Amino acid sequence: MEENIVSENNMKHRSSVYDSMVKSPNRAMLRATGMTDDSFEKPIVGVISTWAENTPCNIHLHGFGQIAKEGVKDAGAWPVQFGTITVADGIAMGTPGMRFSLTSRDIIADSIEAAMGGHNVDAFVAIGGCDKNMPGSMIAIANMDIPAIFAYGGTIAPGNLNGKDIDLVSVFEGIGKWNHGDMTAEEVKNLECNACPGPGGCGGMYTANTMATAIEVMGMSLPGSSSHPAESADKKADIEEAGRAVVKMLEMGLKPSDILTREAFEDAITVTMALGGSTNATLHLLAIAHAANVDLTLEDFNDFQERVPHLADLKPSGQYVFQDLYNVGGVPAVMKYLLKNSFLHGDRITCTGKTVADNLEAFDDLTPGQKVIMPLENPKRADGPLIILKGNLAPEGAVAKVSGVKVRNITGPAKVFDSEEDAIEAVLSDEIVDGDVVVVRFVGPKGGPGMPEMLSLSSMIVGKGQGDKVALLTDGRFSGGTYGLVVGHIAPEAQVGGPIAYLRTGDMVTVDQDTKEITMHVPDEELAKRKAETELPPLYSRGVLGKYAHIVSSASRGAVTDFWNMDKSGKA
């Protein structure tokens, strides 16, 4: 066990506000929580847990918070555990609750900032296990800019049915197969009962594992921690070490602003492309960069898409799960491989106080003969799978994930729906035929409100065998588990009068990944006529969703909630 690395009083850069005689009443309340004269001599370190018992992604995180506290104590500081919310995407998916998912990212960020600021902590560890926990924590970490580390709750183990690995997306796709007559209700029930065997974030290269990886690559979580499975000894060890490491950051005076540089975001995008990460990475990395005052734009993603190959054979478009990556060396082995081939910045500082290159020296290379990560000479795809499209249907941009998609372009008639529910009913009723371009609109950040994901809808299309035959477009989002010919984040969104608001069923639409084009074949004069004839619905105006709808920015800028003086397009 390490010696205490905290010397008395020299790191209480915020909690020293409690030291004077006039703060005796404040200390009286703190004594009721267990603090003593000795405790008051130590820096206060917050431990934020997004624990909730209604989702496997987060059900174990309260215990992890206790483990992190032990690390903080071991390093000689005073730990205090706090709680904040989570919304489980997989549970909310396809329900009205999905509108609260992206909204929760900013609630999480705001609540962490409020708690850490309100209690004058000197440093903190944030522990998350689901899609919005991670960027929410990182936004708070960037805004607070005090020593902080993010710790991931870990990936779930794969389910198993009849000797085959399955996961949550297998169940979503099973609905489409059942509707198409390719699977019985009993077979779907068997998927349901075996897909999620225990705690942890969804097991493919979906949003949770994408963001955990990106945060590790940026240097804001401990090396190797993102790929440690939730129930592994390695995971418990890295959670405890996070408590010690954040006190070390405090000793060094190392802050997030020292770590979250432009180069850190470039490397995060690079690894996201190589591993075939979620479309949500664009939204969240833009939002974190905004909080960190780093200049990052949606167009930057195409620069990396053109030069970084897709190497990982991971779900949803591949055959392996994230635990398989852990078994062959994990994220550090991938980073070592990319660094050796000049794709990463090895001289960046990280939360360990060491550089990326120094951290990676402690890790092995990819296991010889492994099949999860393909070689650069024979990649899964020669360029990256996340593409930013633009055109008269999305002047500010849209995001497509094309990993595993055989069709390079499609031109077909639009079938337009103003809700996901209506689109799902059309799919289940066999109204969607090969060659169609399904469009779901008025579900953007403002229009949803909350920009719901469309995993239910996209999985049904894939399950019915139409994944390469039907395009799906939306101003909403897609889960990291989605694959197929899908385009999300269309901006400007319909709610603010983006061109997608004036698209009509029967209009021809082109999506082309080679030219990065998304075009509606409607003459400008006809669009002007439709615009004059169309009355847009009012913004939602009640409760947290109403607040969110009125202040959230365009998806093209990360759907953040602290741009001021915005015009109706969502632009600052």
Side-chain angles (χ1 to χ4, degrees), residues 97-141:
M98 193 65 215
R99 297 184 300 168
F100 291 89
S101 170
L102 184 60
T103 307
S104 77
R105 181 193 74 181
D106 292 63
I107 297 172
I108 291 165
D110 292 347
S111 65
I112 292 174
E113 185 178 353
M116 298 300 93
H119 290 272
N120 302 295
V121 303
D122 298 296
F124 66 97
V125 178
I127 308 172
C130 195
D131 298 9
K132 309 310 174 296
N133 303 168
M134 284 165 265
S137 295
M138 285 302 302
I139 291 168
I141 285 171

Side-chain angles (χ1 to χ4, degrees), residues 161-245:
L161 184 62
N162 301 322
K164 181 180 179 182
D165 284 348
I166 60 171
D167 62 9
L168 182 63
V169 175
S170 307
V171 191
F172 277 105
E173 292 177 5
I175 302 301
K177 293 178 181 178
W178 164 78
N179 178 251
H180 196 242
D182 297 328
M183 186 170 283
T184 67
E186 182 179 359
E187 288 173 318
V188 175
K189 180 70 176 293
N190 285 336
L191 286 172
E192 173 189 330
C193 293
N194 290 278
C196 300
C202 292
M205 197 60 192
Y206 310 148
T207 304
N209 287 325
T210 296
M211 292 313 302
T213 298
I215 294 167
E216 177 182 330
V217 173
M218 286 191 287
M220 286 305 307
S221 61
L222 293 176
S225 62
S226 67
S227 41
H228 293 159
E231 297 185 284
S232 68
D234 282 343
K235 175 48 61 183
K236 290 180 181 178
D238 80 55
I239 294 291
E240 184 172 355
E241 180 59 27
R244 285 190 289 268

Side-chain angles (χ1 to χ4, degrees), residues 251-441:
E251 182 185 49
M252 293 185 292
L254 184 60
K255 298 184 296 183
S257 57
D258 300 317
I259 299 167
L260 293 173
T261 61
R262 165 74 187 199
E263 290 76 18
F265 284 91
E266 290 179 356
D267 287 354
I269 296 171
T270 294
V271 178
T272 297
M273 290 290 180
L275 293 182
S278 167
T279 53
N280 284 309
T282 61
L283 201 71
H284 298 325
L285 288 173
L286 287 171
I288 298 166
H290 170 73
N293 293 311
V294 170
D295 183 18
L296 186 71
T297 68
L298 193 61
E299 289 76 13
D300 288 330
F301 286 82
N302 268 347
D303 292 339
F304 292 90
Q305 185 273 332
E306 290 169 2
R307 64 177 185 260
V308 179
H310 181 193
L311 302 179
D313 193 17
L314 291 168
K315 289 178 180 291
S317 61
Q319 59 180 317
Y320 296 105
V321 295
F322 208 58
Q323 185 165 302
D324 293 318
L325 177 61
Y326 163 74
N327 290 333
V328 300
V331 170
V334 176
M335 291 179 67
K336 285 189 75 171
Y337 184 54
L338 292 171
L339 180 62
K340 287 178 181 177
N341 288 277
S342 303
F343 283 95
L344 300 181
H345 300 89
D347 57 351
R348 293 186 292 106
I349 197 72
T350 70
C351 65
T352 65
K354 300 178 181 179
T355 66
V356 171
D358 287 341
N359 285 339
L360 293 178
E361 286 181 3
F363 292 88
D364 293 331
D365 292 335
L366 287 163
T367 302
Q370 59 82 32
K371 304 293 185 183
V372 182
I373 302 298
M374 298 180 177
L376 287 164
E377 303 79 43
N378 185 31
K380 187 176 179 71
R381 180 186 164 101
D383 53 6
L386 298 180
I387 297 179
I388 308 305
L389 307 174
K390 282 194 172 183
N392 69 348
L393 188 54
E396 290 181 11
V399 184
K401 182 175 179 178
V402 295
S403 54
V405 177
K406 299 174 184 176
V407 178
R408 307 293 299 186
N409 58 72
I410 185 173
T411 296
K415 287 192 175 172
V416 181
F417 304 92
D418 290 344
S419 74
E420 183 186 13
E421 293 78 10
D422 289 345
I424 287 174
E425 182 58 35
V427 171
L428 293 175
S429 301
D430 296 324
E431 296 172 28
I432 306 302
V433 299
D434 293 356
D436 279 347
V437 177
V438 178
V439 178
V440 183
R441 64 187 180 186

